[in-house]
Amino acid sequence: MNKNPSSGPRYRGIRDIFRGQILIKYLAAVIFLLPLSVLAQLPIEVGAHEDGRKLTGLAEIWHDVDGTSDLGAAREAYLRGKFQPLDSAGSTGLQPGAFWSRFALKNTTDSPLTLHIEYVDHQLIGLEAFARRLADGADFRRIGGMSLSDPFSAREVSHNRFVFELMLPPGATNELLVKFSSDELGVVFPSMRIWDPKSLQAASKLEAGVMAFLFGGYFLMSIFALIGGITSRGSIFYIYSIYSASKIAVWCTILGYTHQYLITEHFHWSYMSFAGAVTILCGLVFSRRFLQTRSYTPRLDYLLRFMLANAVFLLVCALLKLTALSVISITIALLLYPLIVIVAFVRWRQGYKEAVVFALAWGLLVFGLVVQAMRDLGYVEHNFINYYWPPVASFFEMLTIMAAIGLMVRRLRSLKEQAEKKYTEQLEVSKAQLEQQVQLRTRELKDAKERAEQEARTDPLTGIFNRRSFFAEGEHLLKLAQRKHFPLSLLMLDIDHFKSINDEHGHATGDLALRAFSRAIATHIRDIDVFGRIGGEEFALLLSEKRQGALDTAQRLRREIASIELDTAGEPLRFTASIGIAHFQQQADIDELLHMADCALYQAKRQGRDRIVEFSEAEQVAEAEASE
């Protein structure tokens, strides 16, 4: 019998499994040591005259969600099969972190090649490139690294977009790993253009010339608008001038020229958001002013105000360098941009003809931004046309808006000429007709003046003199009494318990009581008497009467007031009045006489109301001493 336990069927099976695991590990080690190109796509063949039409592939892309992976992590991810084809038209869409691209380039010539590999867009925050030659099995080495925050002078190739240089020996194939960083949240276009240095330089000069033409056009439009504002003093020209100047700032910054020529040190991505926020803000201010939305489309104007608030929020986020919030805010702004076209069409339907030209202008801008958004989201392939369409559309937007402003100025000038023509025709009217119109107008102005004076002199509720008119007329009567030596008496009248009338029956009933009170007095006095409301439920009556006559009048008025009956929801409302009388004794002014009558009125209130009390100086002195 075989005593070796490992020789049985059961243990032989275990041994075979163990050997199989060793074989698998061995194969894995061999695969790991093989060049990455064994499992990769075919290399891209390049020659001596690359003009940027040839692009690096999108077949091997890996999304590093955290954005912290280094070269070693990228190689491990490649071995694990995490590099996959990009399932879009060329963009990753709005994603956090970083993306890695793997591709290989093969020199098909017998001479060494120097290539410039250019990133196709302007929105990238940072780029790192690593390469190795496949033939000698060397390890990867870093051949390029750049960031928006680095000084522009640190770039190996001076270009407004990221470009790194690659040297290829004759017939050699180099494998590359490129990391595209977009900070917290952004859009990445992993494919890059392949150039020979001379072709890239020539294309860069042409591109710079075209953009200089656009920027020059913006500048001229801004200057012309500024001159128009100075000559016509129209605020719309100043706003347009600022808006046009902001276009230079935003596109110069977004396309990389600000970093290349102006802020070459300490540049930050937030400058692009800041410039965009300023342009959006200027555009919205101009749109509201040109379309006059506050006056003619108030409801839609609330949405424009929300857009203004969002632009200010974007401005703050850019200043505080809040990446995610900046992206969200600018996305909201772009989504709401087509609303301005709708507002313009509404104004056109209201009869504002220039609005349809403005709608065309803004539509051009919106179309350019939509194309850019579709490209950024990966629905449209990135190419030369849709890359430059937004700034070009923005340029034609400004030209069309200038045409709309010209139409507006032409309309205003036409209205002015029509007004001048009408005025000239009016001057040619016959003298008799003109005099008749003048006389009619004079009468109308006189009537209007009298009505205005009457309204200024009377209390609007009761129709009698107000406080100001009472004092003016009373002072005049007092001066006359002083010169002519005729008697005067001043009555202060106050409705008893007027507050309770308001509280129990409402202010409308209180107003009704005041009108009935005033009417009862006004119908029982003479035209030479001065009657006015001097405050609340207090009234004053200046009579050209001796003492007894004034007392009789006061008694008659008190009874008349007590007979007033008002219809209310419940029982009929009656009320009484207290009256204080002061007699003229060569007082200096109406204020002194009014004070004496007011003291007498106060005594009437204290004595039980619904009564008449004459002012007595002795009583006032005695009362003052008693109170002390």
Side-chain angles (χ1 to χ4, degrees), residues 12 61 66 90 110 114 132 196 351 362 384 392 469 493 509 603 606 614:
R12 282 199 299 274
I61 305 296
D66 296 331
D110 297 331
T114 299
R132 70 171 183 174
D196 67 82
W362 203 268
F384 179 84
V392 172
S469 297
L493 305 94
T509 302
Q603 290 296 328
R606 292 187 60 184
E614 290 183 278

Side-chain angles (χ1 to χ4, degrees), residues 108-273:
T108 59
T109 69
D110 297 331
S111 303
L113 286 181
T114 299
L115 298 176
H116 284 174
I117 313 299
E118 177 206 15
Y119 183 69
V120 299
D121 199 67
H122 52 262
Q123 303 182 54
L124 200 62
I125 303 300
L127 182 146
E128 286 185 280
F130 304 89
R132 70 171 183 174
R133 188 175 178 183
L134 292 179
D136 52 15
D139 201 0
F140 281 94
R141 61 184 179 86
R142 190 171 186 268
I143 61 171
M146 56 209 76
S147 171
L148 284 182
S149 58
D150 295 337
F152 191 85
S153 58
R155 297 188 183 185
E156 184 178 354
V157 178
S158 179
H159 196 273
N160 58 305
R161 290 182 293 276
F162 290 155
V163 178
F164 65 88
E165 190 173 85
L166 175 66
M167 307 291 293
L168 282 176
T173 299
N174 276 19
E175 179 183 10
L176 289 91
L177 284 173
V178 181
K179 180 181 181 181
F180 307 92
S181 301
S182 59
D183 208 351
E184 299 176 16
L185 193 68
V187 174
V188 171
F189 297 87
S191 183
M192 293 183 292
R193 286 190 282 258
I194 303 172
W195 298 86
D196 67 82
K198 290 184 178 180
S199 297
L200 177 61
Q201 185 178 13
S204 298
K205 289 182 179 179
L206 177 61
E207 177 185 354
V210 172
M211 296 313 300
F213 172 79
L214 293 181
F215 294 156
Y218 284 131
F219 178 75
L220 289 177
M221 285 186 279
S222 177
I223 294 298
F224 289 156
L226 180 61
I227 295 173
I230 295 173
T231 55
S232 67
R233 298 182 180 180
S235 60
I236 190 71
F237 291 99
Y238 291 115
I239 300 173
Y240 178 86
S241 177
I242 297 173
Y243 182 34
S244 185
S246 72
K247 292 281 188 176
I248 302 176
V250 68
W251 290 118
C252 190
T253 304
I254 288 177
L255 296 177
Y257 295 107
T258 298
H259 190 195
Q260 184 175 4
Y261 298 110
L262 299 177
I263 309 177
T264 57
E265 304 284 339
H266 310 296
F267 189 84
H268 194 269
W269 64 263
S270 61
Y271 298 162
M272 292 187 284
S273 297

Side-chain angles (χ1 to χ4, degrees), residues 224-529:
F224 289 156
L226 180 61
I227 295 173
I230 295 173
T231 55
S232 67
R233 298 182 180 180
S235 60
I236 190 71
F237 291 99
Y238 291 115
I239 300 173
Y240 178 86
S241 177
I242 297 173
Y243 182 34
S244 185
S246 72
K247 292 281 188 176
I248 302 176
V250 68
W251 290 118
C252 190
T253 304
I254 288 177
L255 296 177
Y257 295 107
T258 298
H259 190 195
Q260 184 175 4
Y261 298 110
L262 299 177
I263 309 177
T264 57
E265 304 284 339
H266 310 296
F267 189 84
H268 194 269
W269 64 263
S270 61
Y271 298 162
M272 292 187 284
S273 297
F274 181 84
V278 171
T279 300
I280 293 172
L281 197 61
C282 293
L284 291 172
V285 170
F286 176 81
S287 300
R288 291 186 69 226
R289 175 66 178 80
F290 184 85
L291 298 175
Q292 303 174 18
T293 57
R294 184 176 181 180
S295 301
Y296 295 98
T297 56
R299 293 183 179 179
L300 291 174
D301 188 61
Y302 284 116
L303 294 175
L304 298 188
R305 292 182 185 182
F306 171 77
M307 294 174 67
L308 282 172
N310 180 65
V312 174
F313 177 73
L314 174 59
L315 201 64
V316 174
C317 291
L319 291 173
L320 299 179
K321 301 179 180 180
L322 304 175
T323 308
L325 291 178
S326 296
V327 172
I328 293 172
S329 179
I330 200 167
T331 301
I332 293 173
L334 296 180
L335 288 175
L336 292 177
Y337 249 43
L339 176 66
I340 307 249
V341 179
I342 298 174
V343 176
F345 274 110
V346 171
R347 291 288 292 118
W348 173 62
R349 291 293 299 273
Q350 292 177 344
Y352 188 34
K353 296 181 180 180
E354 292 82 2
V356 71
V357 181
F358 182 88
L360 174 63
W362 203 268
L364 289 172
L365 174 63
V366 169
F367 181 71
L369 296 176
V370 168
V371 169
Q372 180 179 354
M374 297 293 287
R375 177 178 62 88
D376 291 348
L377 295 175
Y379 297 115
V380 176
E381 183 180 355
H382 183 289
N383 56 45
F384 179 84
I385 295 177
N386 59 40
Y387 177 74
Y388 284 106
W389 177 249
V392 172
S394 182
F395 178 80
F396 283 104
E397 171 223 1
M398 299 305 293
L399 279 178
T400 312
I401 288 177
M402 178 168 277
I405 294 177
L407 292 175
M408 181 189 69
V409 172
R410 181 181 177 183
R411 178 176 58 85
L412 294 176
R413 181 177 297 172
S414 176
L415 291 175
K416 180 182 178 182
E417 291 175 354
Q418 291 177 9
E420 291 176 349
K421 182 179 179 181
K422 185 177 181 180
Y423 177 72
T424 303
E425 290 175 353
Q426 289 177 350
L427 292 178
E428 295 173 354
V429 177
S430 65
K431 182 179 180 181
Q433 292 177 334
L434 183 59
E435 289 178 352
Q436 183 180 3
Q437 291 178 0
V438 171
Q439 291 173 0
L440 177 61
R441 185 59 179 161
T442 302
R443 285 197 301 269
E444 291 176 352
L445 291 174
K446 183 178 179 181
D447 293 342
K449 180 181 179 182
E450 290 176 354
R451 288 195 300 270
E453 290 177 349
Q454 180 67 17
E455 291 174 356
R457 289 167 56 84
T458 58
D459 175 56
L461 178 63
T462 60
I464 63 175
F465 281 141
N466 56 22
R467 181 183 180 88
R468 177 181 177 185
S469 297
F470 174 81
F471 274 90
E473 295 295 330
E475 197 68 39
H476 175 73
L477 188 57
L478 183 67
K479 297 297 184 186
L480 187 62
Q482 288 174 344
R483 291 197 306 270
K484 301 294 184 178
H485 302 287
F486 59 76
L488 277 180
S489 295
L490 193 146
L491 280 62
M492 280 285 290
L493 305 94
D494 185 276
I495 298 176
D496 295 330
H497 303 294
F498 183 73
K499 184 177 184 301
S500 63
I501 295 176
N502 278 333
D503 294 342
E504 295 176 11
H505 302 280
H507 288 279
T509 302
D511 292 345
L512 186 61
L514 290 172
R515 285 194 291 269
F517 175 86
S518 302
R519 191 164 50 251
I521 297 174
T523 55
H524 289 84
I525 60 176
R526 300 166 300 181
D527 291 340
I528 62 172
D529 300 328

Side-chain angles (χ1 to χ4, degrees), residues 77-106:
Y78 181 71
L79 289 174
R80 293 177 179 271
K82 293 184 177 180
F83 279 69
Q84 299 293 330
L86 190 66
D87 55 350
S88 72
S91 167
T92 62
L94 203 58
Q95 299 284 350
F99 284 83
W100 288 78
S101 173
R102 184 269 169 198
F103 57 92
L105 299 179
K106 180 179 180 180

